[in-house]
Amino acid sequence: MLSIISPIMRIVEIPMLALQRLLGINKLAWVFLLPNLILFGLFAFLPVILNIFYATTGGDNVLLADRPYVGARNFGTLTDCSNFLDPNSCREDKFWRAVWNTVWFVTLQVGFMVGFSLLTAIILNRDIRARGFFRSVFFFPVLLSPVVVALVWKWILQREGVLNAFLDWTGVGGINWLVSADWAFGWSVFISVWAHMGFYTLILLAGLQAIPRDVYEAALMDRSSPWRTFRRITLPLLSPTMLVVLVLAMIKGVQTFDEVYAFTGGGPGTATTFIIQYIYEEGFAGAPRLFGLSAAASLLVAGVLVLLTLVQLWANRSNVDG
Amino acid sequence: MGKVLSFLTATRGKNGKLHWTDWVSYGYLTLGVFLMFGPVLWLVISSFKTEADLQRFPPTLLPYAQETVQVDGYDNPLPLFLMTGGDYEGQTLAQLRRVGSQAQMVDPANPDERLRVNIANREPVEKLHLATENYTELFERFNFLRFFWNSTFITVTATAIMLLVNSMAAFALSKYEFRGRMTVLLMVIGTLMIPQTVVLVPLFLIVTELGMFNSLWGVIIPGAATPTGVFLLRQYMITIPDEILDAARMDKASEWKIFWRIIVPLSAPAIAVLAILAIMWRWNDFLWPLIVLTQSENFTLQLALNSFQGELQTDWQSLLAMTVLTLLPISAVFMFLQKYIATGIASTGGK
């Protein structure tokens, strides 16, 4: 491997040396930055600006020059609702279904996930044998691809799957899980928690281990009860980490697409269609490719994400010293 | 065994007894092992079952297949049954054909005489059998190697480009004093707020205009620069003492040589962590490849899996085998590097 790279690096050194002589050492920094900045500019900042153009134009052409300007009409279409709480009263009912599904999903998913992650982290932080093993057990699903996660659970939940066999055996009787809207939604929350909780457990465990031992020893001296110790010491000292985890989980939760799309395809009906799937389907999956609606919806999502990210950066500010 | 025993009886209290909270903890963790590993293990076991075995309800734990026998005068091997009632109770017979509730059977030892039995009076003879043909069929029936190659190519190339580009930027941001450094840093933080999911449409235009639609490069290049990567590497490079760089400059080393020969080797731990993360992100990537790669010969494994699960509703045996092969590389990485993955993820706070 190195025998291929080394000669290349030696060749790169020739123009870099010339640039160094030309610019001086400090300006050479820009040369080192250049590839990264080009990529950021082309694939992060330029798209943000173009997104605004897309959101304000109509038609199904991807080339901006061929798209007629429509002003705020896309946003108007999305928000044309007599009652925002009832998607049926909206012109773009699928959008609002996706919005409310996402709101519910994020609430449930983040709640359960942070709860179970905290519980697991606290247990792993005890005097546990083979902590490394158990930690990696909970982390294992994080590495699996979303499609694999979806298929693993689909195989278990299918009509003649192992879960229904078990329920049959206990006498409860099988249920056609993914055909019922409520069950499909519930299982989507479940597999999403299953797949990601190891990640948050890890962060919370690191936070717990950063709490100094002597604080607990002092609490023990004062005969503080375990519950009181937990409420008065662990929770307050863990709260910065908790905030980071909470916001991070929300940022990711809003963007949920992969595993649920592979799991239920958004169905039955639109029961598990979330906002990113709406954006994807409007822009890329349907026959008239409504890039305008798709871009307008993604700008709305971007607004939410920017807010959340600012909170995250604020919560995490000790790590970004500039 | 002694180790297991001492592990299970780990003590907390002074008198060698487990506190009840310890029991609860170990109970919870055991349940966790079952819940986290169980489903994947079940998938792996199932992938070795034959088609008939997969359709069995309720399913058996281990893969079984019906035993067959070669009988004189018949071309194909015949399935074996054990008679549980009727005239031939206790005998093992081979089935010729089944008509309604009756079956024509034959005794393998006496192939000329045809016997007519009721199917209620028999049970199939089964043995443990690993249906490895599920896997070999993948290579014959599908373009599996192609998908595997696409995924591997994207993962390897994108990781290499990302490591180079991000470490160059991190080097500039950690070891140079120049005007505009703060601006660039803020820009990098800014990109944190722009996940791919919210710029899909314009990203699609840019990639199309660059001629990278339906090309593996369209997946590789847009994700090559990550703010997480720049931050992770920069935080590490800051800790490398400037004196080393000054000494190298005294020896007339060029800046590029300093970067390549000093900074990169010294940052190896951080680069390794980033490499693991990048491999994971790329291998598992789904939404963006789904948009850019629309022709099946460009599919990555994830896309192929997803499209086959739509097409092959009933063909679970191919689907399961393909899923196992998709999760195998990542699981292998996990086995060997899980310690580094854990520290890496904890230190970046994820992406």
Side-chain angles (χ1 to χ4, degrees), chain B residues 222-289:
Chain B
T226 60
T228 320
V230 176
F231 266 118
L232 180 73
L233 295 177
R234 175 179 174 267
Q235 295 309 89
Y236 196 87
M237 287 177 185
I238 284 179
T239 63
I240 297 173
D242 287 339
E243 287 77 16
I244 302 180
L245 277 75
D246 292 335
R249 282 182 189 132
M250 298 270 220
D251 292 342
K252 298 238 161 17
S254 77
E255 295 299 304
W256 179 259
K257 194 165 239 159
I258 290 175
F259 166 70
W260 181 243
R261 292 286 175 163
I262 297 174
I263 297 291
V264 169
L266 285 179
S267 316
I271 293 179
V273 165
L274 186 62
I276 295 168
L277 290 179
I279 290 172
M280 210 176 91
W281 290 335
R282 292 294 142 196
W283 187 266
N284 293 343
D285 207 2
F286 183 69
L287 176 57
W288 186 241

Side-chain angles (χ1 to χ4, degrees), chain A residues 120 143 145 154 252 255 262, chain B residues 28 197-198 284 302 309 351:
Chain A
T120 313
L143 298 170
S145 86
K154 248 180 133 161
K252 293 210 182 176
Q255 295 180 70
Chain B
Y28 179 85
T197 41
V198 299
N284 293 343
Q302 314 296 340
Q309 71 147 331
K351 200 191 106 164

Side-chain angles (χ1 to χ4, degrees), chain A residues 21-298:
Chain A
R21 297 226 168 94
L22 193 72
L23 299 169
I25 284 181
N26 273 339
K27 278 203 179 125
L28 196 69
W30 289 104
V31 179
F32 277 103
L33 278 173
L34 199 64
N36 208 65
L37 289 186
I38 291 176
L39 288 175
F40 274 165
L42 209 54
F43 300 112
F45 291 110
L46 182 61
V48 170
I49 298 163
L50 290 180
N51 221 4
I52 298 168
F53 286 109
Y54 274 105
T56 51
T57 52
D60 61 351
N61 204 313
V62 74
L63 297 175
L64 275 171
D66 300 334
R67 296 175 61 83
Y69 179 77
V70 296
R73 200 185 299 160
N74 285 322
F75 293 98
T77 310
L78 285 182
T79 54
D80 185 1
C81 262
S82 46
N83 177 5
F84 286 111
L85 294 175
D86 176 20
N88 286 324
S89 72
C90 299
R91 186 159 147 216
E92 194 59 25
D93 61 322
K94 198 178 160 201
F95 173 73
W96 285 100
R97 275 180 226 285
V99 167
W100 288 116
N101 282 344
T102 311
V103 169
W104 274 112
F105 180 82
V106 171
T107 313
L108 289 172
Q109 190 239 23
V110 171
F112 280 116
M113 191 151 65
V114 174
F116 277 110
S117 301
L118 185 62
L119 180 65
T120 313
I122 287 170
I123 286 176
L124 285 175
N125 196 36
R126 290 166 59 94
D127 240 345
I128 290 286
R129 289 285 179 105
R131 179 188 292 151
F133 167 73
F134 284 119
R135 191 183 62 179
S136 51
V137 164
F138 282 93
F139 188 71
F140 175 62
V142 177
L143 298 170
L144 299 179
S145 86
V147 187
V148 168
V149 169
L151 283 171
V152 163
W153 284 99
K154 248 180 133 161
W155 175 237
I156 288 172
L157 296 172
Q158 59 142 338
R159 188 203 287 270
E160 302 203 322
V162 68
L163 183 64
N164 277 347
F166 176 75
L167 289 178
D168 256 3
W169 178 74
T170 57
V172 178
I175 297 170
N176 212 346
W177 301 105
L178 297 183
V179 174
S180 138
D182 288 342
W183 280 116
F185 191 87
W187 280 109
S188 299
V189 174
F190 175 84
I191 66 162
S192 167
V193 171
W194 182 82
H196 301 297
M197 69 169 273
F199 170 74
Y200 299 97
T201 303
L202 218 59
I203 299 178
L204 286 171
L205 185 59
L208 282 173
Q209 286 174 341
I211 299 175
R213 287 265 154 209
D214 37 354
V215 185
Y216 287 111
E217 277 157 23
L220 206 65
M221 298 268 230
D222 292 344
R223 293 172 180 256
S224 160
S225 75
W227 173 242
R228 197 178 146 86
T229 310
F230 175 73
R231 257 190 42 206
R232 294 297 167 87
I233 296 179
T234 310
L235 273 190
L237 286 176
L238 195 64
S239 60
T241 318
M242 278 291 278
L243 184 62
V244 171
V245 163
L246 209 64
V247 180
L248 208 59
M250 281 164 81
I251 292 176
K252 293 210 182 176
V254 171
Q255 295 180 70
T256 299
F257 169 74
D258 305 4
E259 62 241 356
V260 177
Y261 181 71
F263 184 54
T264 63
T270 53
T272 53
T273 301
F274 301 133
I275 190 69
I276 300 297
Q277 190 182 341
Y278 174 82
I279 294 172
Y280 165 71
E281 285 185 346
E282 286 307 304
F284 301 98
R289 301 180 123 200
L290 300 174
F291 293 117
L293 273 188
S294 181
S298 60

